[in-house]
Amino acid sequence: MLRVTSRNAAFQQWQALLSNRVKRQRAGEFIIQGVRPISLAIDRGWPVRALLYDMSRPLSRWAADMLAASGARRVAMAPELLSELGEKDDGAPEMVAVAAIPPDDFSRLPQVPDLLAVVFDRPASPGNIGTLIRSADAFGAHGVIVTGHAADPYDPKSVRASTGSILAVPVIRAASHADVAGWARARGAAVIGTDEKGESDIAGIDLSGPAVPVIGNEATGLTAAWRQACDVIARIPITGAASSLNAAGAATVVLYEAARQRHRA
């Protein structure tokens, strides 16, 4: 067991994981905050490297169970330091986890005949990534792929917005649309773009078979390269004064429609 009572090198390394993407990548680690996400990480056998807990109070049954089940390094930390890592304004959390970032490898996505994997191209907001991951989990998608120059799925804002679903749904990052399109074709999946001027309503597109819906950047939508790679461009009919849907909201509609068609089938 390690005790941390000052802003020493170990603390500074963990603190950097909150805001420095380069250091997250270099360390291959990210921070998990919250009871449910930490529980999901432990229950699903995620590679948790350290569990940091408040040294000033007795462990709850939950915290003791997490420590016993994880096999991770135990770190007793001063509450004021743990509060910084937990990013809580109302005092220190009981526990924060440090977990390994998994490889960005398509093999992490399951080999299933009804594949449903959603692509988010060049998202600018980590919160939108987390929200999309949460929807993917809720509607039975098998994975999320983030492409291009994008926000980091392992940013704490994304992890929090996913409410732990990033620990339940495989999320991989791919540099190029070509890599994803080639993988989708090899899996026999239809690549379905989304745009307000798409050629077909989303409800009229068959999503019951293997499908890879693609959501574009929040401000600029799909790139020309992605448009060319798609088999079809779908639109989501909307009314009212809204000119468009939030990217994560659009993904949620598409994922719901896929789940509806698959349940009906």
Side-chain angles (χ1 to χ4, degrees):
M1 183 189 75
L2 176 67
R3 293 173 64 86
V4 176
T5 58
S6 66
R7 305 173 68 84
N8 61 12
F11 173 80
Q12 291 176 40
Q13 180 178 337
W14 292 321
Q15 186 185 44
L17 300 179
L18 295 174
S19 59
N20 193 312
R21 178 177 187 162
V22 172
K23 290 189 177 179
R24 278 196 297 271
Q25 286 303 114
R26 190 175 298 151
E29 296 177 341
F30 70 108
I31 295 287
I32 304 174
Q33 304 154 331
V35 171
R36 183 174 184 274
I38 292 173
S39 297
L40 270 172
I42 301 302
D43 291 346
R44 291 177 175 266
W46 198 273
V48 175
R49 293 180 175 172
L51 288 174
L52 289 46
Y53 60 92
D54 186 348
M55 67 192 310
S56 70
R57 52 176 157 160
L59 292 172
S60 69
R61 172 62 64 86
W62 168 77
D65 287 347
M66 293 299 99
L67 288 168
S70 73
R73 186 183 192 189
R74 301 182 178 201
V75 181
M77 183 169 284
E80 64 273 15
L81 300 179
L82 193 62
S83 181
E84 289 189 44
L85 298 182
E87 297 183 302
K88 290 176 65 71
D89 297 327
D90 55 350
E94 185 174 16
M95 182 175 285
V96 167
V98 180
I101 295 175
D104 292 309
D105 191 327
F106 285 106
S107 67
R108 292 184 56 227
L109 301 176
Q111 297 277 343
V112 290
D114 60 344
L115 173 72
L116 178 62
V118 60
V119 175
F120 202 172
D121 183 47
R122 300 166 298 119
S125 164
N128 275 341
I129 297 176
T131 300
L132 185 148
I133 293 168
R134 182 178 182 179
S135 294
D137 188 16
F139 293 115
H142 300 105
V144 173
I145 304 168
V146 178
T147 59
H149 183 68
D152 185 8
Y154 299 100
D155 184 295
K157 295 183 182 69
S158 172
V159 179
R160 285 196 298 270
S162 82
T163 64
S165 288
I166 194 170
L167 304 161
V169 176
V171 177
I172 67 170
R173 296 164 292 185
S176 167
H177 74 283
D179 295 337
V180 182
W183 167 81
R185 300 276 186 263
R187 298 290 300 273
V191 180
I192 302 160
T194 53
D195 185 85
E196 60 188 20
K197 297 179 180 178
E199 60 220 57
S200 303
D201 284 358
I202 189 64
I205 293 174
D206 183 8
L207 298 169
S208 61
V212 178
V214 185
I215 308 297
N217 170 269
E218 296 95 332
T220 60
L222 294 175
T223 62
W226 259 121
R227 289 176 183 276
Q228 292 176 0
C230 290
D231 297 304
V232 64
I233 306 293
R235 64 177 177 266
I236 300 171
I238 61 173
T239 60
S243 61
S244 63
L245 290 174
N246 167 275
T252 300
V253 173
V254 173
L255 289 163
Y256 170 79
E257 176 61 22
R260 186 188 69 82
Q261 291 186 21
R262 290 164 184 232
H263 180 72
R264 183 182 63 192

